[in-house]
Amino acid sequence: MALVNHRFQLTSRPVGLVKRSDFTYSEAPVADPAEGEVTVKVRYLSLDPAMRGWMNEGKSYVPPVGLGETMRALGIGEVIASKDAKFQVGDFVTGLFGVQEYATLPVKGLQKVDPKAAHLPVYLSVLGMTGLTAYFGLLDVGQAKAGDTVVVSGAAGATGMVVGQIAKIKGCRAVGIAGGAEKCDYLVKELGFDAAIDYKNQDVKAGLKVHAPDGINVYFDNVGGDILDAALSRLARNARVVVCGAISQYNSSEGMKGPANYLSLLVNRARMEGFVVFDYAARYGEAGRELAGWVAAGKLKSREQIVKGLDTFPESLLKLFRGENTGKLVLEV
Amino acid sequence: MALVNHRFQLTSRPVGLVKRSDFTYSEAPVADPAEGEVTVKVRYLSLDPAMRGWMNEGKSYVPPVGLGETMRALGIGEVIASKDAKFQVGDFVTGLFGVQEYATLPVKGLQKVDPKAAHLPVYLSVLGMTGLTAYFGLLDVGQAKAGDTVVVSGAAGATGMVVGQIAKIKGCRAVGIAGGAEKCDYLVKELGFDAAIDYKNQDVKAGLKVHAPDGINVYFDNVGGDILDAALSRLARNARVVVCGAISQYNSSEGMKGPANYLSLLVNRARMEGFVVFDYAARYGEAGRELAGWVAAGKLKSREQIVKGLDTFPESLLKLFRGENTGKLVLEV
C-alpha cells in the first residue's frame, strides 16, 4: 500500500488543559496487516472526557497512554485490508483505533456494525460505549426503579442525555443539570426530561429543591466539584450516587476537590459507587439490543455533534471541557 | 421524692470545640414518673463523637438537641421508681437518659441489662450501641468476608477496636490506624490486629502500602479527612468504604474537607456507603447474642476508659476529639 497515515502522538503529559504542543502530529506509511490483523480506514473518532485522564501518568482503570504512543481513541471505520477470515474488506468496525487516519491492528476487540442500520457516528454514541455506560451505570450501579427521581449532571453531554432518557423509559422522574438555557430547553422539550437546571445561570441547590422535592434517589455524576456537592445535599434516604466521571476536575492543576458534603451518605444511608463500563463486556449484547430497540421505537434519541478534520483534534477535544457540545462529540477524520 | 437532679442543658450551639459555656449546669427536683414512665438513677453515660453532631443545627439522622434541652446521651442506670409493670425498682436499664443524674422518662426504648453478666459500662461499649455499630457496619454495610483486608481508622476508639476484632473473628486481615505508639501496640499485642499504623508518627499511605499490600477490601472510616484520602488511594478492586463517622471534621469551623481521592471509587469499582445503626433495630437481638458469645468465649475484648463526675462532662467529652481515650470513653455519674 502506498497510503500515508497521519496521527497524533502524545509527547508530553498535559498540565491543566490539553495543548496542541502536548502532541506530535506526524506522518508515516500505513503498515500492512500481519496475520490476524486488519487495516482500518478510520472514519469517525469518539471524543471523550476520559481521554484527559488517559494522558496522565499513574495507575487508573486502564494504563496511561505512553509518551510517544498514538493518542488512544475509540473510533469507527472501514476495513481496507484483512489478514483475518472473520473480517472482510468493506466491513465497518468499531475499535480502539487511536487518533489517526489508518489503524493496522489485531482484530481482538473489534466489533462489526451495520452502516445501513444507523448513521455511523451513532455507533460511537447511543449504540456504542456511551449508551452502554449510561445503561449499566443507571440500571446496574444506580439501581434506578420506576418512581425514582434520577438527577444527572452533564445532562446534555453524550452519556447524560442517554441516562435521562433511559430514566424516563424506566418510569423515573428525570432531572438534568446542564450549562445554558439552550441545552436545558433541549433536554426538556426534545428529550422529555421532566426538568433541567441551568448551572450557569441558576442556583443548583435551589433548583434541586424545586425539581427533586422528595430528594434524589439516583444521582448520576459526570462532573464532580460543586455540582456533586449540591446533589449530595439533596439525597433521599438510601440514595445511590453513581460516579461516572468528574469533568470539572480533570484539568485542575491544583488537585481534585473532594465532595465536602459526603457525610450526607451517612445521614441518608446512601452510597456512592464508581464503575467502569468494560466490566460489563459480557452483557454488551443484551444491553445493545435493548438500546437499539429503544432507538428503533423512537424512545431514545441520539444526537451527535460532528467536528471535522483529524488535525483539529487538540482543539476539538477542548470543546468537551468548555461545555461547547450538546450530545456526543465526534471527530470526522 | 426529695431527690435533686443536676443536668447539662445545651444553651448555645458550639463553634469548633465544645466549651463549658455552651451549656448551663442546673439543678432541679427529680420529677415523679407518670403512668408508663420510670425514674432512673443514671450510673454511667456514654461519651460519643456523634454527640458533637447532635449539637449542630440542621437536618441530620436525628433532630438536633434543642437549645435549653438536656444534652442527649446514652446511659445505663438503675430504676428507682416505676409506673410501668415491665420495669421494677432495682432493674438496670440502658436508654437515652441525657447528661444528668436522674432521668424520668417513658419506658419505650429502655433495655434491661443484667448487672451480674457484665460490668455495667460494657453495656455502653461492646455489648451496646458501640458493638452493634461495629457489627452492622463491618458485616452488613462493609460485607467483610474471610480473606479480606479490613482497615479501620480510629482503631483504638470504642467502635474501631470492635471492628478490628470482629474482622479477625471472621477471618480477615485487620489493620488499625490510631494515634501514638501505645495505642498501636495495644491493638496488635492485646487485641490481635495484624498491624497498626501510627498516624501521628508514620506516613499513613506508606503504612497502608506495607500492611495492605494487595489493597484494602473494606475500609471502615471513623475519622474522615486526610486518613480517609490515604485509604481511598489504596483501595482494592470492588472495595467497600464504610462511612461511620468523621471525627477529624466535626469541630472544623471552616467546613468539611471532602475526600479528594474519591475518584478511586471509579478506578477501583468501589463504593462508599453510610449507615446509621438505628436502622438495624430489628436485628439488635441477633447481633447482641453473637457479640455476647464472642465476649464470653474470650474472642472479643472490651475496654472502657472511665472518667468520673457528671460536672466534668464538657471537658471529658473533649478527650474524644483530642484522641486521649483508648476504648470506650464512659462518664461515671
Side-chain angles (χ1 to χ4, degrees), chain B residues 57-134:
Chain B
E57 209 154 2
K59 189 194 159 216
S60 187
Y61 62 96
V62 288
V65 177
L67 290 180
E69 289 179 11
T70 303
M71 178 58 205
R72 185 184 294 146
L74 275 166
I76 189 162
E78 189 177 353
V79 175
I80 59 165
S82 176
K83 286 273 186 72
D84 187 287
K86 294 188 296 295
F87 293 87
Q88 314 303 325
V89 170
D91 282 348
F92 282 84
V93 289
T94 60
L96 274 174
F97 300 140
V99 183
Q100 56 186 347
E101 291 168 326
Y102 295 91
T104 297
L105 75 178
V107 299
K108 187 171 182 290
L110 299 187
Q111 292 280 344
K112 277 191 220 184
V113 300
D114 178 359
K116 295 188 205 85
H119 184 47
L120 289 179
V122 179
Y123 290 108
L124 298 177
S125 168
V126 173
L127 296 178
M129 281 299 161
T130 299
L132 294 168
T133 299

Side-chain angles (χ1 to χ4, degrees), chain A residues 273-289:
Chain A
E273 184 163 357
F275 77 108
V276 174
V277 68
F278 308 150
D279 295 345
Y280 295 87
R283 291 171 53 202
Y284 285 173
E286 160 208 334
R289 279 187 295 278

Side-chain angles (χ1 to χ4, degrees), chain A residues 76-101:
Chain A
I76 189 162
E78 188 177 353
V79 175
I80 58 165
S82 177
K83 287 272 184 73
D84 186 287
K86 294 188 295 296
F87 292 86
Q88 315 302 324
V89 170
D91 282 349
F92 282 83
V93 289
T94 61
L96 273 174
F97 299 140
V99 182
Q100 56 186 347
E101 291 168 325

